[in-house]
Amino acid sequence: ILPFAKHITTGTPFLSVKLAMTLDGRIADRKHQAKWITGETARAEVQRMRKRADAVMVGAGTVCADDPSLLCRLPDSGDLIRVVVDATGRTPAGARVYTDSAADRTIVATTARGAARKGKAWTRRGARVWTFAPDSTGRVPLRKLMKKLGREGYLHVLCEGGGTLAGGLNDAGLVDEFAIFYAPAVLGDARAVSGLAGQGSLLSRMTRGKIASVRHFGEDLLICLRPERI
């Protein structure tokens, strides 16, 4: 209901940001190792989240570090679209999202710089390349990307990281729901990867919202937060 209402009223998709992190807010260690922070039961719930979404979105860092497929492994999961946000052409053409049997369901959001560097290689197996004028920081303009996804008919986008993309979406005020899995673990390392690595804000202007649900999945805790602006 929420994705349909958001799309009808704004023309843009409902955006959920899923993060799996330690209690001290880290999604990977200092060597960018993230497998596995949460347990199998939590990861099974992520598959159900993918099944409910129209598209799964990640940043270039996630593709480079983990080489994920991002597909839903559940039966009758439909034609889930994968969106890779890669402004500079960092993601290798040999990554699974560009070479597997679902490569034609991959969209790369990039800039002219990224398209010139890797565009032909990305499209070799059928991936679509969307080129945007970069924002003031040289990155893909996330608000314009969400509007284009809405025009293409996608109602619900699930962002699965990493920290830079999640932080940018939060900075832009685009997140409709945070779905954060907390593992009963602490890294305690300032060099570990932050779950939300954006520009952020001061305490007086930080994102606040309402807790929509709190659920256990094995030893992990899933907290769903919906920002107050919705």
Side-chain angles (χ1 to χ4, degrees), residues 13 25 30 42 58 60 73 99 134 137 144 152 164 189 195 204 206 224:
R30 73 180 76 166
V58 296
R73 295 191 294 270
T99 59
T137 65
K144 290 181 179 179
E152 293 288 317
T164 301
D189 187 350
S204 61
M206 67 181 176
C224 289

Side-chain angles (χ1 to χ4, degrees), residues 77-225:
S77 56
D79 296 328
L80 186 68
I81 295 295
R82 301 171 294 190
V83 181
V84 179
V85 182
D86 183 356
T88 60
R90 292 171 55 200
T91 54
R96 282 199 282 178
V97 291
Y98 306 129
T99 59
D100 65 16
S101 60
D104 61 346
R105 288 191 272 131
T106 297
I107 296 168
V108 193
T110 189
T111 64
R113 177 186 175 190
R117 184 178 179 188
K118 290 276 182 64
K120 290 182 179 179
W122 287 333
T123 58
R124 193 166 292 131
R125 291 283 293 272
R128 287 178 281 166
V129 177
W130 291 357
T131 304
F132 297 86
D135 63 16
S136 59
T137 65
R139 297 176 178 174
V140 172
L142 297 174
R143 190 170 296 278
K144 290 181 179 179
L145 170 58
M146 294 303 294
K147 287 182 178 179
K148 185 169 177 59
L149 286 167
R151 289 195 300 270
E152 293 288 317
Y154 301 115
L155 273 63
H156 188 184
V157 175
L158 175 65
C159 174
E160 294 197 22
T164 301
L165 177 58
L169 292 166
N170 181 57
D171 289 342
L174 294 171
V175 182
D176 297 302
E177 178 182 69
F178 290 97
I180 303 178
F181 290 90
Y182 285 102
V186 174
L187 277 170
D189 187 350
R191 291 168 291 179
V193 182
S194 174
L196 286 166
Q199 296 298 311
S201 65
L202 296 175
L203 188 68
S204 61
R205 300 188 62 185
M206 67 181 176
T207 300
R208 288 188 178 273
K210 296 184 182 297
I211 302 294
S213 64
V214 178
R215 292 179 287 167
H216 274 282
F217 290 91
E219 294 297 314
D220 304 310
L221 188 68
L222 171 60
I223 298 178
C224 289
L225 171 75

